Amino acid sequence: QVQLVESGGGSVRAGGSLTLSCVASVTKNVMGWFRQAPGKEREGVAAIFPLTGSTWYVDSVKGRFTISQENAKNTIFLQMNSLTPEDTAMYYCAADVQLGQKWSAHHWGQGTQVTVSS
């Protein structure tokens, strides 16, 4: 079982920045970040393949969010800039992410809340 522990969420004003961190007991294939806003489906936001460093982003965050890794510590990060109220959601770290038209994953963290005020 993969254990994922997120940190770094919080409240910020529009235009601000936050960095999320996720420590994994083991990195499992593609790692990534998802988010779920109230009343909406969970959606994939960014993903990274630790072996190569290849990254993927959903269109709504391209140019604003950056996913990165620190392999020695089994840690991935999500740097979020130019945040808007539409980015408000619970953010989940995920392992063994399945990319495609709709992303999914086999392992999930408990989530960290990000709230952006206008």
Side-chain angles (χ1 to χ4, degrees), residues 85-101:
E86 288 68 38
D87 295 314
T88 294
M90 184 71 78
Y91 284 71
Y92 296 90
C93 181
D96 199 7
V97 175
Q98 309 299 304
L99 302 172
Q101 188 169 5

Side-chain angles (χ1 to χ4, degrees), residues 105-116:
H106 291 137
H107 306 278
W108 300 94
Q110 292 188 326
T112 185
Q113 178 68 37
V114 172
T115 302
V116 185

Side-chain angles (χ1 to χ4, degrees), residues 20-33:
L20 306 183
S21 300
C22 172
V23 179
S25 57
V26 60
T27 54
K28 184 75 171 178
N29 296 327
V30 177
M31 304 289 294
W33 291 94

Side-chain angles (χ1 to χ4, degrees), residues 15-69:
S17 299
L18 283 173
T19 300
L20 306 183
S21 300
C22 172
V23 179
S25 57
V26 60
T27 54
K28 184 75 171 178
N29 296 327
V30 177
M31 304 289 294
W33 291 94
F34 288 66
R35 67 185 179 186
Q36 187 167 18
K40 293 188 177 181
E41 290 189 352
R42 191 174 297 189
E43 65 169 350
V45 174
I48 187 166
F49 185 43
L51 287 180
T52 64
S54 297
T55 58
W56 298 265
Y57 298 92
V58 67
D59 285 346
S60 60
V61 307
K62 284 180 180 177
R64 300 189 301 122
F65 290 12
T66 302
I67 189 169
S68 60
Q69 61 188 6

